[in-house]
Amino acid sequence: LQMSNLQEGRPRESLVKYEQPIESPAGDLKGVIGKPSKGILPAGVKRKQQLPPLESKPKTEDILNAILPAREWIENGIHYIQYVSHQKASRDDVDELAKLLDQKMNERQARESGICPVREELFSQCFDELIRQVTIDCEERGLLLLRVRDEIKMTIAAYQTLYQSSVIFGIRKQLQAEHGKADLEKKIEELETKKLKLENKVIELKAKIDAIEKRNQERRSIDEQKRKEEIEFLRYQQEHLAKFLKSLQSFLLYTNSEGIS
């Protein structure tokens, strides 16, 4: 590990109250690069102290340093370490924390609703400061709040993972839909072309049907006219033959009567 892994410049001001930063000795800094010395972690690695065994009650300072690790950075080539404050908080400090939270929200233009990383960061710092204040008064309550904080972070991380998975799933489905969209559009175009051809064929067939019906109508009219003429001719022949037969019968009756006389 090297010094370049440490943050360059003083960290952003936090809602968590810290002690004044102290300069790391040059000898200790060498120990950071080689073998970590007591109380100083390698560059870029957050401090996470192990609490003493349950048989011996840990000190409040040890618990605070385990809950809220010290901040480390390099400024002007000097390695600084800043531990969390061990000073008790008064009622005025709590009011000042609330005002400072609102001030930071306005300064950093945090959103009042919806997803906002800035608002999440500020409220996380405020919660850490409350844990610090409670731990100083009662270590057990501080450790319990630590569990609550970690559980909340785990829940938020789970929701973030779920959100990212859903976004990836949605993008994948969208890409699949876009991939099949070209084939569907091509198929739609082919079906529309086929539909147009079938419509033209329907129009053509309807025109043929109309022509055939017109021709059949004309043929039926001609046939009906011929039948009417034949019927009239047959009626005329019937009447003529009936008159002829009637005159013939009259002639025969007359001839028979003359022969008898």
Side-chain angles (χ1 to χ4, degrees):
L1 298 176
Q2 298 181 1
M3 290 178 58
S4 58
N5 294 332
L6 287 175
Q7 178 181 344
E8 290 288 344
R10 182 183 292 268
R12 186 193 296 269
E13 185 179 354
S14 174
L15 295 178
V16 181
K17 185 175 292 187
Y18 285 89
E19 301 285 356
Q20 289 296 326
I22 58 176
E23 181 179 343
S24 176
D28 292 342
L29 187 58
K30 294 179 181 179
V32 171
I33 300 176
K35 182 178 180 181
S37 61
K38 184 178 180 181
I40 299 179
L41 291 177
V45 179
K46 291 185 176 181
R47 180 182 303 276
K48 188 175 181 182
Q49 298 181 356
Q50 296 293 333
L51 295 178
L54 294 178
E55 290 76 7
S56 59
K57 185 176 180 181
K59 296 181 181 180
T60 304
E61 291 79 2
D62 296 334
I63 296 177
L64 285 175
N65 292 333
I67 293 176
L68 302 171
R71 302 193 299 182
E72 300 183 49
W73 70 91
I74 295 177
E75 187 175 1
N76 298 326
I78 302 175
H79 180 201
Y80 288 96
I81 301 178
Q82 188 177 30
Y83 293 97
V84 68
S85 176
H86 303 155
Q87 183 180 359
K88 288 188 177 183
S90 62
R91 185 184 298 271
D92 294 335
D93 292 334
V94 178
D95 294 337
E96 184 66 23
L97 176 62
K99 294 178 182 178
L100 188 59
L101 174 63
D102 295 334
Q103 179 183 347
K104 292 294 183 182
M105 291 276 288
N106 294 328
E107 289 178 356
R108 301 182 61 180
Q109 298 180 352
R111 298 179 182 176
E112 295 182 359
S113 61
I115 299 175
C116 179
V118 175
R119 189 180 76 250
E120 180 183 354
E121 178 186 354
L122 291 176
F123 273 93
S124 177
Q125 293 177 4
C126 182
F127 194 36
D128 288 343
E129 172 61 17
L130 292 177
I131 292 176
R132 185 195 71 82
Q133 297 176 6
V134 172
T135 304
I136 294 174
D137 293 334
C138 180
E139 300 168 359
E140 290 76 7
R141 281 200 298 266
L143 293 174
L144 184 58
L145 283 177
L146 175 64
R147 291 182 57 187
V148 174
R149 183 197 69 178
D150 293 341
E151 179 63 27
I152 292 174
K153 289 185 177 181
M154 289 176 58
T155 304
I156 293 175
Y159 280 123
Q160 289 177 344
T161 303
L162 181 61
Y163 171 75
Q164 293 173 358
S165 301
S166 62
V167 170
I168 294 174
F169 178 78
I171 294 175
R172 186 184 301 114
K173 286 297 181 181
Q174 183 179 0
L175 292 176
Q176 291 177 356
E178 291 179 354
H179 178 71
K181 183 178 179 181
D183 296 336
L184 291 176
E185 289 179 349
K186 184 178 180 180
K187 188 174 182 180
I188 290 173
E189 185 178 356
E190 292 176 354
L191 292 175
E192 287 180 349
T193 304
K194 187 176 181 181
K195 176 187 174 185
L196 183 61
K197 290 181 179 179
L198 292 175
E199 288 177 349
N200 294 333
K201 190 173 182 179
V202 168
I203 294 173
E204 182 181 354
L205 292 175
K206 284 184 177 180
K208 288 183 179 179
I209 291 173
D210 293 339
I212 292 172
E213 288 181 350
K214 185 177 181 181
R215 186 165 57 249
N216 290 336
Q217 183 67 26
E218 293 176 353
R219 186 176 298 172
R220 282 196 298 268
S221 299
I222 295 173
D223 293 341
E224 288 179 358
Q225 185 66 25
K226 286 182 179 180
R227 283 196 296 270
K228 286 181 180 179
E229 292 176 355
E230 288 178 358
I231 290 171
E232 290 178 357
F233 177 73
L234 291 175
R235 283 178 180 175
Y236 172 77
Q237 284 186 340
Q238 180 184 3
E239 292 176 357
H240 183 71
L241 289 173
K243 290 180 181 180
F244 176 75
L245 290 174
K246 188 175 181 181
S247 63
L248 183 60
Q249 288 177 355
S250 300
F251 177 74
L252 291 175
L253 289 173
Y254 177 75
T255 304
N256 291 333
S257 62
E258 286 294 329
I260 294 173
S261 60

